Amino acid sequence: MAVTNAVEPRYAVIKRYIREQIEQGLWSEHHQVPSENSLGEQFSVSRMTARRALQELTTEGVLVRHQGLGSFVAEQKPVGSLLEVRNIADDISQRGHRYSNQVLLMETCCAAADAALALDLPPGSELYHSIIVHYDNDLPVQWEERFTNPRLVPDYLEQDFTALTPNRYLTQVAPLTEAEHTVEAVLATDEQARALQIAQPEACLLIKRRTWSSRGAVSYARLLHPGSRYRLGAQLSMNRN
Amino acid sequence: MAVTNAVEPRYAVIKRYIREQIEQGLWSEHHQVPSENSLGEQFSVSRMTARRALQELTTEGVLVRHQGLGSFVAEQKPVGSLLEVRNIADDISQRGHRYSNQVLLMETCCAAADAALALDLPPGSELYHSIIVHYDNDLPVQWEERFTNPRLVPDYLEQDFTALTPNRYLTQVAPLTEAEHTVEAVLATDEQARALQIAQPEACLLIKRRTWSSRGAVSYARLLHPGSRYRLGAQLSMNRN
DNA sequence: TGTATATAGTTGTATATACAAGTATTCTCG
DNA sequence: CGAGAATACTTGTATATACAACTATATACA
């Protein structure tokens, strides 16, 4: 393969610069980025070229622009409508219900094959392991079993997850850049059925979620929902109209 | 509410013109649209303004452009990564497996409450009703129960669905513009378990899919997959990088 | 015939310019 | 002090121009 010798267009240089400022945390959400004119001076390009960089970053959702005001770093939101990385506590409060949870387990364990694979770690590595049941108005709606990479989140076990969801805590200490979900249907184990207060046999939705931050795979969670108390939804429309 | 008095920018006029040509079927997929220069002449604007229209339609996925060649109408693809409207027959062939199916039922029935609601029809309306089991290498992987609006697809019952999947047939006669999915976990009924050749009890993924064409709600399908033979997957990444 | 070369047409990048329009601040005047 | 006007700065729209890069076709030549 030949090295691509293509020169990077000037507007791309500006785009890259802005992205870097944001990724390095120098410009956080709602920070005002330089104006078209000042970027033009800074990079010795015309206003229209600087404008193009800002414009494209806007359509890509990195910036928001307001006429008369300026350009600002956008709030970071996940793309993809169906399976966003949501915090179940927020979902429940948003419905106007009371959220609570119970921590069943917090431990250090040795990675089994599947968890090690999911976190890109060698089998037998030390992992943090937690099991939490989430309640919606005292009705259990999710069994969360989670494996977390101790190198990226060293103080995971010291957290009080009745106050702050693991999901929320993790997104704070290791802002996630990527996520992967799979959805399948399984029967609950007896232990899970007891914790979720469901009769056996019961079909459950099992969502496996892997999340990455810029430093690597952070966490691997298995989220089990009683089939009778949970569903996923998605709308989609075609490109046209 | 005051009527928006804002004048439509010139580039927006050109965008609208192009979208209309496509929506009316005058320009179909891969059709070459006028060049920047000729659009500029046609609408009495500069090339850069015509260019902007083409450019934006490209980022919106309506057109594709190739340097030196021209601009072309893009293939219509659904947006949203997870639950596209896929044809299970295509999925199976794509994996290199052999696809087959068995039609268990084809009838006219009176809409039950849920089906009527799903298709925006009054309860008791006449509906087409079909049940088909889809096989991957002779292993049943999907139980498809479908209700179809006879006013939009009058000759549904005359089709030979062993040759052409309902999904594929419907997208041909009534190109879909919108779709809605829900995903839940349920236990298979005895009838479904027999048809899918699964042991009881078995957890199954139930996907409910409603599809619309420009003329209204076309079809409501319940797609049941054995939990042990099916899963859904989705990747998503954040706005940045 | 086959292979370069020229050419015409397309999109891509970049600039300079002009004016419109929205926002916030400052200034002026009653 | 308050209200309106002037202002400075921002993004938005539109144009004219120049050249680069890519593609397909036509042409010239060996």
Side-chain angles (χ1 to χ4, degrees), chain B residues 132-236:
Chain B
I132 300 176
V133 176
H134 301 271
Y135 297 84
D136 177 336
N137 280 351
D138 298 320
L139 191 69
V141 291
Q142 182 185 101
W143 158 287
E144 171 194 327
E145 181 170 15
R146 184 182 290 272
F147 298 91
T148 303
N149 188 334
R151 289 200 300 217
L152 298 182
V153 195
D155 47 357
Y156 180 79
L157 291 186
E158 276 74 52
Q159 300 308 310
D160 174 14
F161 287 132
T162 58
L164 193 68
T165 318
N167 183 327
R168 187 170 268 238
Y169 169 68
L170 289 172
T171 57
Q172 277 184 14
V173 300
L176 58 80
T177 58
E178 211 92 14
E180 178 193 88
H181 291 94
T182 64
V183 180
E184 52 193 305
V186 298
L187 293 173
T189 65
D190 288 340
E191 181 192 7
Q192 292 165 342
R194 265 196 308 277
L196 291 172
Q197 300 170 22
I198 52 180
Q200 287 282 46
E202 164 111 6
C204 293
L205 263 192
L206 174 60
I207 301 175
K208 293 178 180 169
R209 176 192 288 171
R210 289 203 289 165
T211 50
W212 286 262
S213 78
S214 50
R215 295 166 57 213
V218 174
S219 193
Y220 170 54
R222 290 198 280 250
L223 312 173
L224 190 82
H225 299 88
S228 53
R229 295 179 204 149
Y230 196 78
R231 71 170 52 152
L232 295 168
Q235 264 98 33
L236 49 95

Side-chain angles (χ1 to χ4, degrees), chain A residues 41-111:
Chain A
E41 281 188 25
Q42 185 178 340
F43 287 87
S44 302
V45 299
S46 74
R47 183 199 147 200
M48 294 310 286
T49 300
R51 175 180 179 74
R52 176 167 182 177
L54 294 172
Q55 196 70 334
E56 292 194 2
L57 288 173
T58 299
T59 69
E60 292 164 20
V62 177
L63 303 179
V64 291
R65 277 151 74 75
H66 295 289
Q67 188 171 1
L69 290 176
S71 306
F72 306 85
V73 177
E75 294 176 23
Q76 187 162 196
K77 282 201 214 108
V79 299
S81 54
L82 174 56
L83 279 177
E84 307 162 36
V85 175
R86 343 181 54 152
N87 188 336
I88 191 165
D90 293 342
D91 281 2
I92 290 171
S93 330
Q94 210 171 326
R95 280 195 292 269
H97 294 186
R98 189 163 39 78
Y99 168 78
S100 60
N101 68 35
Q102 193 180 355
V103 178
L104 299 186
L105 180 73
M106 293 272 274
E107 62 165 13
T108 303
C109 72
C110 286

Side-chain angles (χ1 to χ4, degrees), chain A residues 3-200:
Chain A
V3 175
T4 69
N5 222 0
V7 289
E8 190 178 20
R10 295 193 200 238
Y11 71 84
V13 174
I14 301 178
K15 285 179 69 176
R16 194 161 47 74
Y17 165 74
I18 294 175
R19 295 195 107 105
E20 282 169 3
Q21 301 300 307
I22 296 172
E23 277 162 26
Q24 292 170 16
L26 301 175
W27 296 350
S28 49
E29 288 183 9
H30 306 117
H31 175 95
Q32 180 163 13
V33 313
S35 69
E36 300 175 352
N37 280 318
S38 71
L39 279 173
E41 281 188 25
Q42 185 178 340
F43 287 87
S44 302
V45 299
S46 74
R47 183 199 147 200
M48 294 310 286
T49 300
R51 175 180 179 74
R52 176 167 182 177
L54 294 172
Q55 196 70 334
E56 292 194 2
L57 288 173
T58 299
T59 69
E60 292 164 20
V62 177
L63 303 179
V64 291
R65 277 151 74 75
H66 295 289
Q67 188 171 1
L69 290 176
S71 306
F72 306 85
V73 177
E75 294 176 23
Q76 187 162 196
K77 282 201 214 108
V79 299
S81 54
L82 174 56
L83 279 177
E84 307 162 36
V85 175
R86 343 181 54 152
N87 188 336
I88 191 165
D90 293 342
D91 281 2
I92 290 171
S93 330
Q94 210 171 326
R95 280 195 292 269
H97 294 186
R98 189 163 39 78
Y99 168 78
S100 60
N101 68 35
Q102 193 180 355
V103 178
L104 299 186
L105 180 73
M106 293 272 274
E107 62 165 13
T108 303
C109 72
C110 286
D114 62 336
L117 191 67
L119 291 176
D120 298 323
L121 291 175
S125 308
E126 195 173 69
L127 284 186
Y128 297 149
H129 180 208
S130 62
I131 298 180
I132 301 175
V133 177
H134 301 271
Y135 297 82
D136 177 337
N137 279 351
D138 297 322
L139 190 69
V141 291
Q142 183 186 100
W143 160 286
E144 173 195 325
E145 181 170 16
R146 184 182 290 274
F147 298 91
T148 302
N149 188 334
R151 288 200 298 215
L152 298 182
V153 196
D155 46 358
Y156 180 79
L157 291 185
E158 276 74 52
Q159 301 308 310
D160 175 14
F161 288 131
T162 58
L164 192 69
T165 318
N167 184 329
R168 186 169 268 242
Y169 169 67
L170 289 172
T171 56
Q172 277 184 13
V173 300
L176 58 81
T177 58
E178 209 93 13
E180 178 194 87
H181 291 94
T182 64
V183 180
E184 53 194 304
V186 298
L187 293 172
T189 66
D190 287 339
E191 180 192 9
Q192 292 165 343
R194 264 196 307 278
L196 291 172
Q197 300 169 23
I198 52 181
Q200 287 282 47

